[in-house]
mmCIF file of all heavy atoms in Angstrom:
data_model
loop_
_atom_site.group_PDB
_atom_site.id
_atom_site.type_symbol
_atom_site.label_atom_id
_atom_site.label_comp_id
_atom_site.label_asym_id
_atom_site.label_seq_id
_atom_site.Cartn_x
_atom_site.Cartn_y
_atom_site.Cartn_z
ATOM 1 N N VAL A 1334 82.753 84.959 118.300
ATOM 2 C CA VAL A 1334 82.604 85.830 117.121
ATOM 3 C C VAL A 1334 81.809 85.045 116.065
ATOM 4 O O VAL A 1334 82.145 83.904 115.805
ATOM 5 C CB VAL A 1334 83.983 86.270 116.552
ATOM 6 C CG1 VAL A 1334 83.735 87.250 115.435
ATOM 7 C CG2 VAL A 1334 84.749 87.020 117.679
ATOM 8 N N VAL A 1335 80.785 85.671 115.671
ATOM 9 C CA VAL A 1335 79.866 84.997 114.606
ATOM 10 C C VAL A 1335 80.311 85.537 113.186
ATOM 11 O O VAL A 1335 80.296 86.810 113.008
ATOM 12 C CB VAL A 1335 78.470 85.182 114.883
ATOM 13 C CG1 VAL A 1335 77.571 84.626 113.823
ATOM 14 C CG2 VAL A 1335 78.142 84.693 116.304
ATOM 15 N N ALA A 1336 80.511 84.704 112.302
ATOM 16 C CA ALA A 1336 80.909 85.110 110.873
ATOM 17 C C ALA A 1336 79.527 85.721 110.224
ATOM 18 O O ALA A 1336 78.532 85.443 110.545
ATOM 19 C CB ALA A 1336 81.443 83.939 110.076
ATOM 20 N N PRO A 1337 79.792 86.563 109.240
ATOM 21 C CA PRO A 1337 78.587 87.180 108.472
ATOM 22 C C PRO A 1337 77.823 85.981 107.946
ATOM 23 O O PRO A 1337 78.317 84.980 107.547
ATOM 24 C CB PRO A 1337 79.247 88.005 107.456
ATOM 25 C CG PRO A 1337 80.701 88.202 107.815
ATOM 26 C CD PRO A 1337 80.992 86.981 108.648
ATOM 27 N N PRO A 1338 76.462 86.242 107.727
ATOM 28 C CA PRO A 1338 75.689 85.204 107.194
ATOM 29 C C PRO A 1338 76.037 84.987 105.732
ATOM 30 O O PRO A 1338 76.518 85.888 104.996
ATOM 31 C CB PRO A 1338 74.222 85.849 107.286
ATOM 32 C CG PRO A 1338 74.469 87.260 107.392
ATOM 33 C CD PRO A 1338 75.799 87.462 108.028
ATOM 34 N N VAL A 1339 75.740 83.701 105.238
ATOM 35 C CA VAL A 1339 75.921 83.387 103.909
ATOM 36 C C VAL A 1339 75.097 84.237 102.932
ATOM 37 O O VAL A 1339 73.887 84.543 103.188
ATOM 38 C CB VAL A 1339 75.633 81.902 103.600
ATOM 39 C CG1 VAL A 1339 75.832 81.519 102.151
ATOM 40 C CG2 VAL A 1339 76.563 81.009 104.508
ATOM 41 N N GLY A 1340 75.691 84.730 101.848
ATOM 42 C CA GLY A 1340 74.858 85.500 100.905
ATOM 43 C C GLY A 1340 75.075 87.058 101.245
ATOM 44 O O GLY A 1340 74.461 87.851 100.576
ATOM 45 N N ALA A 1341 75.905 87.388 102.193
ATOM 46 C CA ALA A 1341 76.162 88.769 102.526
ATOM 47 C C ALA A 1341 76.931 89.406 101.367
ATOM 48 O O ALA A 1341 77.717 88.776 100.676
ATOM 49 C CB ALA A 1341 76.963 88.928 103.700
ATOM 50 N N GLN A 1342 76.522 90.653 100.923
ATOM 51 C CA GLN A 1342 77.045 91.199 99.825
ATOM 52 C C GLN A 1342 78.122 92.224 100.064
ATOM 53 O O GLN A 1342 78.108 92.861 101.192
ATOM 54 C CB GLN A 1342 75.996 92.034 98.966
ATOM 55 C CG GLN A 1342 74.857 91.133 98.318
ATOM 56 C CD GLN A 1342 74.083 91.913 97.397
ATOM 57 O OE1 GLN A 1342 74.005 93.121 97.365
ATOM 58 N NE2 GLN A 1342 73.356 91.209 96.449
ATOM 59 N N SER A 1343 79.200 92.139 99.330
ATOM 60 C CA SER A 1343 80.357 93.007 99.570
ATOM 61 C C SER A 1343 80.886 93.563 98.229
ATOM 62 O O SER A 1343 80.579 93.038 97.192
ATOM 63 C CB SER A 1343 81.572 92.226 100.132
ATOM 64 O OG SER A 1343 81.159 91.704 101.390
ATOM 65 N N ARG A 1344 81.602 94.726 98.269
ATOM 66 C CA ARG A 1344 82.099 95.233 97.070
ATOM 67 C C ARG A 1344 83.352 94.506 96.554
ATOM 68 O O ARG A 1344 84.066 93.895 97.360
ATOM 69 C CB ARG A 1344 82.513 96.750 97.390
ATOM 70 C CG ARG A 1344 81.365 97.610 97.696
ATOM 71 C CD ARG A 1344 81.768 99.088 98.020
ATOM 72 N NE ARG A 1344 82.707 99.057 99.115
ATOM 73 C CZ ARG A 1344 83.311 100.203 99.597
ATOM 74 N NH1 ARG A 1344 82.995 101.315 99.001
ATOM 75 N NH2 ARG A 1344 84.086 100.069 100.608
ATOM 76 N N VAL A 1345 83.545 94.560 95.265
ATOM 77 C CA VAL A 1345 84.671 93.865 94.750
ATOM 78 C C VAL A 1345 86.042 94.274 95.380
ATOM 79 O O VAL A 1345 86.898 93.435 95.663
ATOM 80 C CB VAL A 1345 84.687 94.008 93.140
ATOM 81 C CG1 VAL A 1345 86.008 93.481 92.518
ATOM 82 C CG2 VAL A 1345 83.540 93.289 92.545
ATOM 83 N N LYS A 1346 86.142 95.601 95.467
ATOM 84 C CA LYS A 1346 87.447 96.040 96.087
ATOM 85 C C LYS A 1346 87.683 95.677 97.522
ATOM 86 O O LYS A 1346 88.807 95.831 98.074
ATOM 87 C CB LYS A 1346 87.578 97.586 95.928
ATOM 88 C CG LYS A 1346 86.460 98.333 96.809
ATOM 89 C CD LYS A 1346 86.673 99.815 96.538
ATOM 90 C CE LYS A 1346 85.748 100.733 97.168
ATOM 91 N NZ LYS A 1346 85.992 102.082 96.850
ATOM 92 N N ASP A 1347 86.658 95.179 98.303
ATOM 93 C CA ASP A 1347 86.826 94.714 99.675
ATOM 94 C C ASP A 1347 87.140 93.291 99.660
ATOM 95 O O ASP A 1347 87.678 92.865 100.810
ATOM 96 C CB ASP A 1347 85.472 95.018 100.414
ATOM 97 C CG ASP A 1347 85.101 96.531 100.525
ATOM 98 O OD1 ASP A 1347 86.025 97.312 100.541
ATOM 99 O OD2 ASP A 1347 83.935 96.779 100.539
ATOM 100 N N ILE A 1348 86.975 92.572 98.740
ATOM 101 C CA ILE A 1348 87.209 91.015 98.800
ATOM 102 C C ILE A 1348 88.324 90.618 97.748
ATOM 103 O O ILE A 1348 88.766 89.476 97.820
ATOM 104 C CB ILE A 1348 86.025 90.177 98.571
ATOM 105 C CG1 ILE A 1348 85.350 90.612 97.153
ATOM 106 C CG2 ILE A 1348 84.986 90.494 99.592
ATOM 107 C CD1 ILE A 1348 84.032 89.849 96.894
ATOM 108 N N ALA A 1349 88.872 91.611 96.972
ATOM 109 C CA ALA A 1349 89.856 91.358 96.007
ATOM 110 C C ALA A 1349 90.679 92.524 95.781
ATOM 111 O O ALA A 1349 90.313 93.678 96.050
ATOM 112 C CB ALA A 1349 89.223 90.751 94.748
ATOM 113 N N GLN A 1350 91.874 92.203 95.143
ATOM 114 C CA GLN A 1350 92.814 93.362 94.970
ATOM 115 C C GLN A 1350 93.626 93.066 93.687
ATOM 116 O O GLN A 1350 93.674 91.919 93.173
ATOM 117 C CB GLN A 1350 93.761 93.502 96.093
ATOM 118 C CG GLN A 1350 94.767 92.361 96.309
ATOM 119 C CD GLN A 1350 95.647 92.534 97.408
ATOM 120 O OE1 GLN A 1350 95.687 93.625 98.062
ATOM 121 N NE2 GLN A 1350 96.487 91.602 97.742
ATOM 122 N N LEU A 1351 93.963 94.209 93.093
ATOM 123 C CA LEU A 1351 94.871 94.046 91.822
ATOM 124 C C LEU A 1351 96.171 93.304 92.027
ATOM 125 O O LEU A 1351 96.854 93.740 93.085
ATOM 126 C CB LEU A 1351 95.011 95.345 91.199
ATOM 127 C CG LEU A 1351 93.803 95.971 90.319
ATOM 128 C CD1 LEU A 1351 94.021 97.411 89.904
ATOM 129 C CD2 LEU A 1351 93.443 95.014 89.146
ATOM 130 N N GLN A 1352 96.546 92.491 91.220
ATOM 131 C CA GLN A 1352 97.834 91.911 91.414
ATOM 132 C C GLN A 1352 98.986 92.851 91.383
ATOM 133 O O GLN A 1352 99.987 92.702 92.004
ATOM 134 C CB GLN A 1352 98.068 90.756 90.385
ATOM 135 C CG GLN A 1352 99.409 89.899 90.597
ATOM 136 C CD GLN A 1352 99.485 88.779 89.741
ATOM 137 O OE1 GLN A 1352 98.779 88.694 88.594
ATOM 138 N NE2 GLN A 1352 100.277 87.819 89.923
ATOM 139 N N SER A 1353 98.978 93.865 90.428
ATOM 140 C CA SER A 1353 100.001 94.807 90.241
ATOM 141 C C SER A 1353 100.012 95.958 91.491
ATOM 142 O O SER A 1353 100.993 96.560 91.725
ATOM 143 C CB SER A 1353 99.766 95.635 89.157
ATOM 144 O OG SER A 1353 98.471 96.217 88.938
ATOM 145 N N ALA A 1354 98.889 95.995 92.229
ATOM 146 C CA ALA A 1354 98.745 96.864 93.362
ATOM 147 C C ALA A 1354 99.143 96.162 94.603
ATOM 148 O O ALA A 1354 98.256 95.919 95.394
ATOM 149 C CB ALA A 1354 97.393 97.545 93.380
ATOM 150 N N ARG A 1355 100.490 95.926 94.814
ATOM 151 C CA ARG A 1355 100.912 95.252 95.996
ATOM 152 C C ARG A 1355 101.876 96.097 96.668
ATOM 153 O O ARG A 1355 102.632 96.897 96.203
ATOM 154 C CB ARG A 1355 101.558 93.949 95.538
ATOM 155 C CG ARG A 1355 102.704 94.094 94.646
ATOM 156 C CD ARG A 1355 103.295 92.774 94.271
ATOM 157 N NE ARG A 1355 103.923 92.118 95.427
ATOM 158 C CZ ARG A 1355 105.186 92.316 95.904
ATOM 159 N NH1 ARG A 1355 105.979 93.028 95.158
ATOM 160 N NH2 ARG A 1355 105.650 91.584 96.899
ATOM 161 N N ASP A 1356 101.989 95.820 98.077
ATOM 162 C CA ASP A 1356 102.929 96.619 98.950
ATOM 163 C C ASP A 1356 104.406 95.954 98.662
ATOM 164 O O ASP A 1356 104.563 94.743 98.222
ATOM 165 C CB ASP A 1356 102.598 96.534 100.353
ATOM 166 C CG ASP A 1356 101.308 97.384 100.638
ATOM 167 O OD1 ASP A 1356 100.861 98.085 99.721
ATOM 168 O OD2 ASP A 1356 100.775 97.215 101.689
ATOM 169 N N ASN A 1357 105.335 96.638 99.062
ATOM 170 C CA ASN A 1357 106.640 96.181 99.104
ATOM 171 C C ASN A 1357 107.406 96.510 100.506
ATOM 172 O O ASN A 1357 107.150 97.635 101.025
ATOM 173 C CB ASN A 1357 107.570 96.870 98.013
ATOM 174 C CG ASN A 1357 107.194 96.330 96.636
ATOM 175 O OD1 ASN A 1357 107.662 95.304 96.108
ATOM 176 N ND2 ASN A 1357 106.298 97.030 95.970
ATOM 177 N N GLN A 1358 107.986 95.545 101.067
ATOM 178 C CA GLN A 1358 108.516 95.692 102.465
ATOM 179 C C GLN A 1358 109.887 96.219 102.393
ATOM 180 O O GLN A 1358 110.775 95.867 101.539
ATOM 181 C CB GLN A 1358 108.508 94.380 103.185
ATOM 182 C CG GLN A 1358 107.233 93.737 103.432
ATOM 183 C CD GLN A 1358 107.207 92.415 104.068
ATOM 184 O OE1 GLN A 1358 107.988 91.668 103.948
ATOM 185 N NE2 GLN A 1358 106.045 92.047 104.784
ATOM 186 N N LEU A 1359 110.101 97.163 103.365
ATOM 187 C CA LEU A 1359 111.408 97.819 103.389
ATOM 188 C C LEU A 1359 112.038 97.617 104.833
ATOM 189 O O LEU A 1359 111.209 97.463 105.878
ATOM 190 C CB LEU A 1359 111.360 99.335 103.141
ATOM 191 C CG LEU A 1359 110.740 99.792 101.800
ATOM 192 C CD1 LEU A 1359 110.636 101.339 101.775
ATOM 193 C CD2 LEU A 1359 111.504 99.216 100.755
ATOM 194 N N VAL A 1360 113.334 97.668 105.079
ATOM 195 C CA VAL A 1360 113.816 97.302 106.324
ATOM 196 C C VAL A 1360 115.154 98.058 106.404
ATOM 197 O O VAL A 1360 115.963 98.394 105.329
ATOM 198 C CB VAL A 1360 114.164 95.835 106.643
ATOM 199 C CG1 VAL A 1360 115.140 95.287 105.630
ATOM 200 C CG2 VAL A 1360 114.558 95.611 108.033
ATOM 201 N N GLY A 1361 115.468 98.671 107.596
ATOM 202 C CA GLY A 1361 116.845 99.411 107.817
ATOM 203 C C GLY A 1361 117.203 99.187 109.221
ATOM 204 O O GLY A 1361 116.507 98.892 110.155
ATOM 205 N N TYR A 1362 118.511 99.567 109.405
ATOM 206 C CA TYR A 1362 119.081 99.544 110.681
ATOM 207 C C TYR A 1362 119.498 101.010 111.037
ATOM 208 O O TYR A 1362 120.118 101.699 110.227
ATOM 209 C CB TYR A 1362 120.397 98.681 110.727
ATOM 210 C CG TYR A 1362 121.261 98.909 111.979
ATOM 211 C CD1 TYR A 1362 120.946 98.142 113.181
ATOM 212 C CD2 TYR A 1362 122.342 99.685 112.017
ATOM 213 C CE1 TYR A 1362 121.642 98.267 114.334
ATOM 214 C CE2 TYR A 1362 123.220 99.838 113.146
ATOM 215 C CZ TYR A 1362 122.809 99.118 114.169
ATOM 216 O OH TYR A 1362 123.542 99.227 115.459
ATOM 217 N N GLY A 1363 119.021 101.513 112.258
ATOM 218 C CA GLY A 1363 119.400 102.802 112.528
ATOM 219 C C GLY A 1363 119.623 103.101 114.148
ATOM 220 O O GLY A 1363 119.630 102.060 114.902
ATOM 221 N N LEU A 1364 119.658 104.301 114.497
ATOM 222 C CA LEU A 1364 119.887 104.656 116.007
ATOM 223 C C LEU A 1364 118.954 105.712 116.358
ATOM 224 O O LEU A 1364 118.386 106.565 115.639
ATOM 225 C CB LEU A 1364 121.305 105.348 115.985
ATOM 226 C CG LEU A 1364 122.538 104.424 115.832
ATOM 227 C CD1 LEU A 1364 123.807 105.288 115.814
ATOM 228 C CD2 LEU A 1364 122.637 103.238 116.803
ATOM 229 N N VAL A 1365 118.391 105.476 117.591
ATOM 230 C CA VAL A 1365 117.498 106.369 118.324
ATOM 231 C C VAL A 1365 118.293 107.057 119.396
ATOM 232 O O VAL A 1365 118.806 106.479 120.173
ATOM 233 C CB VAL A 1365 116.281 105.650 118.853
ATOM 234 C CG1 VAL A 1365 115.451 106.665 119.695
ATOM 235 C CG2 VAL A 1365 115.488 105.093 117.733
ATOM 236 N N VAL A 1366 118.346 108.440 119.343
ATOM 237 C CA VAL A 1366 119.070 109.275 120.331
ATOM 238 C C VAL A 1366 118.074 110.080 121.146
ATOM 239 O O VAL A 1366 116.906 110.138 120.810
ATOM 240 C CB VAL A 1366 120.040 110.124 119.573
ATOM 241 C CG1 VAL A 1366 121.142 109.260 118.733
ATOM 242 C CG2 VAL A 1366 119.425 111.073 118.693
ATOM 243 N N GLY A 1367 118.613 110.588 122.234
ATOM 244 C CA GLY A 1367 117.846 111.570 123.125
ATOM 245 C C GLY A 1367 117.020 110.850 124.150
ATOM 246 O O GLY A 1367 116.100 111.381 124.726
ATOM 247 N N LEU A 1368 117.388 109.519 124.498
ATOM 248 C CA LEU A 1368 116.616 108.798 125.416
ATOM 249 C C LEU A 1368 117.086 109.150 126.809
ATOM 250 O O LEU A 1368 118.159 109.660 127.106
ATOM 251 C CB LEU A 1368 116.919 107.289 125.295
ATOM 252 C CG LEU A 1368 116.507 106.691 123.899
ATOM 253 C CD1 LEU A 1368 116.963 105.284 123.884
ATOM 254 C CD2 LEU A 1368 115.046 106.929 123.655
ATOM 255 N N GLN A 1369 116.151 109.108 127.869
ATOM 256 C CA GLN A 1369 116.424 109.562 129.148
ATOM 257 C C GLN A 1369 116.933 108.387 130.026
ATOM 258 O O GLN A 1369 116.393 107.927 130.891
ATOM 259 C CB GLN A 1369 115.063 110.043 129.729
ATOM 260 C CG GLN A 1369 114.488 111.242 129.003
ATOM 261 C CD GLN A 1369 113.242 111.740 129.613
ATOM 262 O OE1 GLN A 1369 112.574 110.974 130.461
ATOM 263 N NE2 GLN A 1369 112.737 112.918 129.324
ATOM 264 N N GLY A 1370 118.187 107.980 129.629
ATOM 265 C CA GLY A 1370 118.855 106.938 130.349
ATOM 266 C C GLY A 1370 118.244 105.549 130.215
ATOM 267 O O GLY A 1370 118.588 104.686 131.030
ATOM 268 N N THR A 1371 117.382 105.353 129.229
ATOM 269 C CA THR A 1371 116.736 104.040 128.953
ATOM 270 C C THR A 1371 117.370 103.497 127.738
ATOM 271 O O THR A 1371 116.774 102.518 127.161
ATOM 272 C CB THR A 1371 115.333 104.319 128.822
ATOM 273 O OG1 THR A 1371 115.045 105.230 127.612
ATOM 274 C CG2 THR A 1371 114.649 104.859 130.061
ATOM 275 N N GLY A 1372 118.425 103.851 127.222
ATOM 276 C CA GLY A 1372 119.035 103.245 125.988
ATOM 277 C C GLY A 1372 119.836 102.005 126.248
ATOM 278 O O GLY A 1372 119.827 101.367 127.356
ATOM 279 N N ASP A 1373 120.583 101.515 125.190
ATOM 280 C CA ASP A 1373 121.336 100.308 125.350
ATOM 281 C C ASP A 1373 122.515 100.513 126.257
ATOM 282 O O ASP A 1373 123.150 101.622 126.329
ATOM 283 C CB ASP A 1373 121.963 99.891 123.959
ATOM 284 C CG ASP A 1373 120.842 99.518 123.016
ATOM 285 O OD1 ASP A 1373 119.744 99.080 123.495
ATOM 286 O OD2 ASP A 1373 121.040 99.610 121.820
ATOM 287 N N SER A 1374 122.960 99.528 127.080
ATOM 288 C CA SER A 1374 124.149 99.465 127.790
ATOM 289 C C SER A 1374 125.179 99.105 126.762
ATOM 290 O O SER A 1374 125.263 97.944 126.287
ATOM 291 C CB SER A 1374 124.102 98.574 128.993
ATOM 292 O OG SER A 1374 123.689 97.250 128.615
ATOM 293 N N LEU A 1375 126.182 100.022 126.502
ATOM 294 C CA LEU A 1375 127.151 99.695 125.454
ATOM 295 C C LEU A 1375 127.973 98.462 125.620
ATOM 296 O O LEU A 1375 128.557 97.970 124.757
ATOM 297 C CB LEU A 1375 128.012 100.986 125.218
ATOM 298 C CG LEU A 1375 127.106 102.237 124.806
ATOM 299 C CD1 LEU A 1375 128.110 103.350 124.391
ATOM 300 C CD2 LEU A 1375 126.216 101.901 123.693
ATOM 301 N N ARG A 1376 128.149 98.129 126.922
ATOM 302 C CA ARG A 1376 128.944 96.959 127.145
ATOM 303 C C ARG A 1376 128.224 95.683 126.710
ATOM 304 O O ARG A 1376 128.890 94.719 126.292
ATOM 305 C CB ARG A 1376 129.187 96.864 128.732
ATOM 306 C CG ARG A 1376 130.012 95.628 129.216
ATOM 307 C CD ARG A 1376 130.199 95.631 130.740
ATOM 308 N NE ARG A 1376 130.771 96.882 131.106
ATOM 309 C CZ ARG A 1376 132.102 96.994 131.221
ATOM 310 N NH1 ARG A 1376 132.966 96.065 130.774
ATOM 311 N NH2 ARG A 1376 132.629 98.079 131.586
#
């Protein structure tokens, strides 16, 4: 893979982002039902 040549022009929003505009990660524990015999063995 060859990197873009030096001096390539890009838009500001493609190379930088606002500090206040950030994602936040979420996590949870749940259950998936309706599987065709491919679920957890409860033992």
Side-chain angles (χ1 to χ4, degrees):
V1334 182
V1335 179
V1339 177
Q1342 290 193 343
S1343 302
R1344 296 177 300 180
V1345 171
K1346 64 181 178 182
D1347 297 330
I1348 57 180
Q1350 62 180 1
L1351 284 174
Q1352 186 177 16
S1353 57
R1355 59 180 295 269
D1356 293 349
N1357 290 273
Q1358 295 179 331
L1359 305 178
V1360 65
Y1362 170 83
L1364 294 174
V1365 172
V1366 299
L1368 303 177
Q1369 298 178 347
T1371 59
D1373 294 338
S1374 57
L1375 302 186
R1376 181 181 301 274

